């Protein structure tokens, strides 16, 4: 299985009751459409649509991890409550598992703005080379989403935690 993760930058943090969310909840763009990330990829609107439908029909939540750590259950820090594509990107509302000490640490880091970036792991189901601003880039047209992560350093500097 070929899995690539794309980390995404954040400019503001919207998390918890002070921002009109539940305790331990936050919203973020886990992907932005149309711009070239540091891997030379461009995600297009609709790339997540099929898999978001599959996730919804399964009844299983999209996992929320810290730093893509899939091997340690302590780093499974919550789940995605809502995920939708809008004109800007993949907008997620996530719920941290506040019974998990690692999730509480991440919540404190989010609230203190010590971490403010997101990422996701995926498989590419459909892509192709296109020219954008004179450069050849890889256009990601359909993706299988495995998880969304809070990360320290992002690759797509146009994404933001709201």
């Amino acid at each position: 299985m070929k899995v690539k993760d794309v980390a995404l930058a954040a400019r503001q943090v919207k998390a918890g009751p002070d921002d009109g969310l539940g305790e331990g909840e936050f919203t973020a763009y886990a992907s932005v459409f149309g711009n070239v990330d540091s891997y030379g990829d461009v995600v297009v609107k609709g790339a997540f649509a099929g898999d978001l439908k599959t996730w919804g029909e399964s009844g299983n939540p999209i996992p929320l991890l810290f730093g893509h750590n899939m091997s340690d259950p302590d780093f499974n820090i919550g789940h995605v409550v809502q995920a939708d594509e809008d004109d800007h990107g993949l907008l997620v509302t996530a719920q941290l598992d506040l019974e998990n000490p690692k999730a509480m640490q991440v919540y404190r880091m989010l609230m203190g703005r010590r971490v403010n970036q997101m990422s996701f792991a995926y498989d590419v189901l459909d892509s192709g080379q296109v020219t954008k601003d004179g450069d050849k880039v890889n256009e990601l047209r359909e993706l299988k989403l495995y998880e969304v992560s809070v990360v320290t350093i992002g690759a797509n500097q146009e994404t933001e935690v709201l």
Side-chain angles (χ1 to χ4, degrees):
M1 170 175 64
K2 180 179 173 188
V3 177
K4 177 179 176 186
D5 70 307
V6 176
L8 304 164
R11 295 189 183 109
Q12 296 180 321
V13 174
K14 183 173 182 180
D18 291 344
D19 291 309
L21 298 167
E23 190 69 37
E25 282 190 346
F26 67 95
T27 59
Y29 277 101
S31 180
V32 168
F33 301 140
N35 72 308
V36 182
D37 68 18
S38 65
Y39 293 104
D41 291 331
V42 176
V43 180
V44 298
K45 184 175 181 178
F48 297 100
D51 204 45
L52 290 178
K53 183 178 183 211
T54 300
W55 275 105
E57 290 170 351
S58 77
N60 297 322
I62 299 167
L64 175 68
L65 304 180
F66 183 76
H68 301 291
N69 190 334
M70 298 178 196
S71 63
D72 186 340
D74 289 340
F75 286 77
N76 188 324
I77 59 173
H79 66 280
V80 173
V81 176
Q82 183 70 36
D84 296 294
E85 286 189 350
D86 64 15
D87 289 336
H88 186 65
L90 177 63
L91 180 63
V92 299
T93 299
Q95 174 66 57
L96 292 160
D97 174 4
L98 299 181
E99 298 294 316
N100 176 331
K102 180 64 67 186
M104 279 301 298
Q105 180 183 15
V106 170
Y107 192 34
R108 289 189 302 272
M109 290 189 301
L110 282 168
M111 296 298 284
R113 299 180 59 116
R114 293 180 288 148
V115 295
N116 58 6
Q117 298 184 15
M118 296 293 293
S119 180
F120 60 96
Y122 63 93
D123 276 341
V124 177
L125 303 178
D126 184 23
S127 67
Q129 292 291 311
V130 298
T131 301
K132 184 170 178 70
D133 301 326
D135 295 320
K136 289 191 185 232
V137 298
N138 188 36
E139 185 176 77
L140 303 178
R141 300 174 187 142
E142 185 178 1
L143 301 173
K144 177 175 177 44
L145 183 65
Y146 288 103
E147 54 90 359
V148 173
S149 280
V150 176
V151 295
T152 306
I153 299 172
N156 187 329
Q157 299 303 306
E158 292 186 25
T159 302
E160 57 189 330
V161 173
L162 300 176

